[in-house]
Amino acid sequence: MAQVVKGSFPVEKFVKVQTPFYYYDVDLLNQTLDLVKKESSANNVEVHYAVKANANPKVLSIIASKGFGADCVSGNEVKAAVEAGFPASKIVFAGVGKTDPEINLALEYNIFCFNAESIPELEVINELAAAKGKVANIELRVNPNVDAHTHHYITTGLNENKFGFNMDDLESVVKMIAGMKNLKLIGLHFHIGSQITDLSSFENLCVRVNDLQEKFESWGVKLENINIGGGLGINYEHPNHMPIADFESYFRLFAKHLKLRAGQTMHCEPGRSLVAQCGSLITKVTYVKKGKEKQFAIVDAGMTDLIRPALYDAYHRIENISSDADEEKYDVVGPICESSDVFDKEILLNGTKRGDYLAIRSAGAYGEIMASGYNLRRLPQGYLSTEF
Ligand SMILES: *Cc1c(COP(=O)(O)O)cnc(C)c1O
């Protein structure tokens, strides 16, 4: 019989819920969060969880309960973060296209700061804050032109991307903000990309930030925070062997290479690395279809439930958690009327039959939150392991 290391799931209890659904392993989530808490506290770093990775209210409230802050990219995320228990004083709001109602909502909550990305945005925040008689804290999102060596859809720190201010424009922006009574410049913000596994990209970022800090000093500006964004990658190939990202090396790298000034605090915004590995998309095999040269495991989850393979050609490990039979080769495909609705091709699974449960692993980030109703499908539900 094949010896396959698989995740552990209470498969016999899955009958009580409808597939496909997201399963979140609370023990692993807690272990991950506790490690991040320990390492960040030891290095005096403030962590803001990037809500866009997974905004399931049950997951959010576990993260909030650990005392982390939240990084939001829409008004609804700000609202969801507050409702989940994140203190408004630890919420930052980023994004290139913040609308007036979103900015007003954030001002009403008195969030910690706006990570601003353009001059017209600064003008609008200043105006809306003035109308409320408030002063809004601002971090300038700077595009550091650092290559994150990741998928081009999730590289964000290059000159060609839409994000942030160009470094060349900063001096005039700083002068402009000095004349805006309802804005207070408190820091700089960077985010170079996502699923970064080559830590040298972060080292390059530190070099840019250090240079930039000298410029700000020469302009006489004192910065309270340096926010280095998110982006730490996880191991999609080996979720069972590497369930927690290497946060020790990550925080050590910044402690070593980022030159903070007296009184300055480093902030970071991990999303994927906090929640990806604790989540699996659980799906049931509807049919096993034998073709001439292939066999297909046709499952009840599709690209509507987890779009990463179709959108980024992303790899997710798939396990048959109902079977110990000898391994065979399958293409695992969904029911959606699109050729890209394929989770993986020619992979080995324990002998698979109709009704078996498959776990599509490392799906806790950019999974449930990116689900759509295409083909009029019902949105997948998310359940904590403690609910079974
Ligand atoms: C997406 C995003 C993050 C989180 O990125 P991860 O790769 O999930 O860690 C953090 N900050 C900003 C501004 C983002 O857009």
Side-chain angles (χ1 to χ4, degrees), residues 37 79 122 124 154 291:
K37 193 80 206 166
K79 195 160 169 278
L122 288 172
V124 170
I154 50 177

Side-chain angles (χ1 to χ4, degrees), residues 48 50 52-53 71 73 94-95 115 117 141 156 163 189-191 193-196 227 229-233 269-273 365-366:
H48 293 110
K52 77 170 193 274
D71 161 43
V73 291
N115 291 340
E117 311 219 10
R141 176 161 181 181
T156 52
F163 300 100
H189 175 231
F190 305 84
H191 174 69
S194 200
Q195 184 51 18
I196 297 170
N227 182 336
L232 180 62
E269 304 169 333
R272 183 190 316 267
S273 56
Y366 307 107

Side-chain angles (χ1 to χ4, degrees), residues 327-341:
E327 290 182 331
E328 293 177 39
K329 251 185 207 165
Y330 300 88
D331 283 14
V332 178
V333 302
I336 314 295
C337 304
E338 294 282 338
S339 306
S340 57
D341 187 31

Side-chain angles (χ1 to χ4, degrees), residues 62-249:
I62 292 175
I63 300 174
S65 73
K66 304 279 180 182
F68 293 113
D71 161 43
C72 301
V73 291
S74 74
N76 282 344
E77 281 192 5
V78 172
K79 195 160 169 278
V82 171
E83 284 167 3
F86 290 94
S89 62
K90 287 189 182 181
I91 292 178
V92 300
F93 184 12
V96 294
K98 302 177 191 79
T99 63
D100 295 21
E102 289 178 314
I103 293 168
N104 276 326
L105 179 89
L107 287 167
E108 277 152 29
Y109 278 128
N110 291 316
I111 63 161
F112 174 64
C113 88
F114 292 83
N115 291 340
E117 311 219 10
S118 68
I119 291 172
E121 182 193 334
L122 288 172
E123 289 167 344
V124 170
I125 298 174
N126 186 48
E127 213 174 278
L128 297 176
K132 293 188 185 299
K134 295 189 174 188
V135 174
N137 284 340
I138 299 289
E139 287 177 353
L140 296 178
R141 176 161 181 181
V142 179
N143 186 334
N145 199 23
V146 168
D147 193 345
H149 300 289
T150 182
H151 191 283
H152 62 281
Y153 281 8
I154 50 177
T155 292
T156 52
L158 289 172
N159 280 341
E160 65 198 61
N161 299 121
K162 68 182 175 183
F163 300 100
F165 290 92
N166 283 320
M167 292 200 280
D168 298 342
D169 299 336
L170 286 175
E171 186 168 11
S172 58
V173 171
V174 164
K175 281 189 186 140
M176 213 184 104
I177 295 182
M180 294 175 146
K181 289 200 185 69
N182 298 85
L183 300 186
K184 183 182 180 215
L185 177 59
I186 62 163
L188 300 180
H189 175 231
F190 305 84
H191 174 69
I192 58 172
S194 200
Q195 184 51 18
I196 297 170
T197 48
D198 176 0
L199 290 184
S200 69
S201 300
F202 290 120
E203 207 177 312
N204 294 340
L205 172 62
C206 290
V207 172
R208 290 293 159 84
V209 178
N210 294 340
D211 288 350
L212 210 52
Q213 286 248 58
E214 289 184 8
K215 285 201 180 144
F216 275 78
E217 280 169 340
S218 74
W219 302 330
V221 179
K222 212 171 160 322
L223 300 167
E224 296 165 26
N225 305 307
I226 300 296
N227 182 336
I228 54 86
L232 180 62
I234 60 129
N235 192 322
Y236 282 96
E237 274 78 25
H238 303 291
N240 299 314
H241 300 111
M242 303 281 287
I244 301 183
D246 186 359
F247 290 103
E248 290 95 335
S249 301

